[in-house]
Amino acid sequence: KASGDTVWVMGPTGSGAPYIGDFEAGWNGWTPVDNTQPLVNHWQVSNYNQAVATNLAAWCGDLTIPSCNDSLDLAGGYGNSWHDILSYRATVADPSVGATATVTATMQMDTEPGYDYVHLSTKLPGNLDYTDYQTWDGAATVAVNASLVFAPSELIEGTDVLVQFRFTSDGGWSDGDCLYATAGACQIDDITVTVSQVGQADIVSFTDFQDGTFGDWFIDLPAGVGDFA
């Protein structure tokens, strides 16, 4: 085009532009995108830091994080500002009555005490935040044993119980900046979930991750808080 020519890229209806931007006939190719929703999750099935090399577990960490000290710290660990979720859902037999989900598991954890946490949680319908039933931090081996009680109104989509293991880290002091070296956030293994309702048979799920998959569990992403076209 010669200098000064006008090229219509977008315009209102009747302008002759190839793209119509007045939204009178719908979105016309525009789509909503939430740029605040995390797109990365660090849960994986791994033998990281296991005493027996053939034992697999659900590990929250990143193998590409280099060692902070070759003699004291393994390569791999967790970074700053993480929020990673591993979830389980089960459809109850009778959604008109409440349900209890009993969770047992073995967990090895290594987090910065007082700042970075592993949570046993759910996310109830209509709530923006998560409901935490148990929270752990520091370096320990934990025998997880908890019961999550759901009223009928707290079932996801009116039918499902939702159980979550979440890891959250703050903005500093982790393997990512080498200010706090760890053996990764946590490894969780041998998870049993038993969903009970009065008058109904229990729903029992056992996952040991030995087949290399998450089994009845799945990667979940936190909800975003923004919407941009």
Side-chain angles (χ1 to χ4, degrees):
K1 295 292 184 179
S3 177
D5 280 0
T6 298
V7 179
W8 281 97
V9 177
M10 177 170 289
T13 301
S15 66
Y19 300 100
I20 303 303
D22 60 11
F23 302 102
E24 296 302 319
W27 279 86
N28 292 307
W30 290 86
T31 57
V33 177
D34 189 343
N35 288 328
T36 66
Q37 183 179 37
L39 300 177
V40 176
N41 187 295
H42 301 91
W43 285 101
Q44 55 193 285
V45 177
S46 173
N47 66 348
Y48 184 86
N49 198 39
Q50 295 286 9
V52 178
T54 57
N55 188 37
L56 300 178
W59 175 53
C60 186
D62 183 352
L63 283 172
T64 67
I65 296 176
S67 171
C68 296
N69 183 312
D70 289 340
S71 64
L72 299 176
D73 179 49
L74 295 171
Y78 71 83
N80 298 326
S81 301
W82 281 16
H83 185 186
D84 294 324
I85 305 173
L86 188 66
S87 292
Y88 165 85
R89 282 179 66 158
T91 301
V92 299
D94 184 356
S96 68
V97 300
T100 299
T102 302
V103 183
T104 64
T106 299
M107 177 170 64
Q108 298 171 253
M109 53 180 297
D110 189 3
T111 77
E112 182 190 7
Y115 296 94
D116 304 333
Y117 301 95
V118 182
H119 314 268
L120 178 63
S121 309
T122 191
K123 197 168 191 302
L124 300 176
N127 286 11
L128 295 178
D129 208 351
Y130 295 84
T131 299
D132 296 327
Y133 289 85
Q134 291 189 353
T135 297
W136 305 271
D137 63 336
T141 298
V142 177
V144 178
N145 191 337
S147 293
L148 289 64
V149 179
F150 300 87
S153 62
E154 295 173 332
L155 298 173
I156 302 300
E157 297 178 352
T159 57
D160 289 11
V161 298
L162 173 66
V163 179
Q164 299 175 315
F165 282 103
R166 299 189 303 123
F167 172 69
T168 59
S169 60
D170 67 355
W173 293 72
S174 71
D175 301 276
D177 56 23
C178 275
L179 293 176
Y180 196 90
T182 75
C186 64
Q187 301 90 36
I188 301 175
D189 203 3
D190 297 332
I191 309 174
T192 299
V193 182
T194 304
V195 179
S196 303
Q197 285 187 297
V198 174
Q200 304 294 333
D202 288 350
I203 302 169
V204 181
S205 164
F206 174 74
T207 306
D208 64 7
F209 306 100
Q210 286 305 113
D211 64 356
T213 75
F214 286 115
D216 292 334
W217 293 76
F218 62 92
I219 295 296
D220 216 347
L221 293 173
V225 293
D227 194 355
F228 305 88

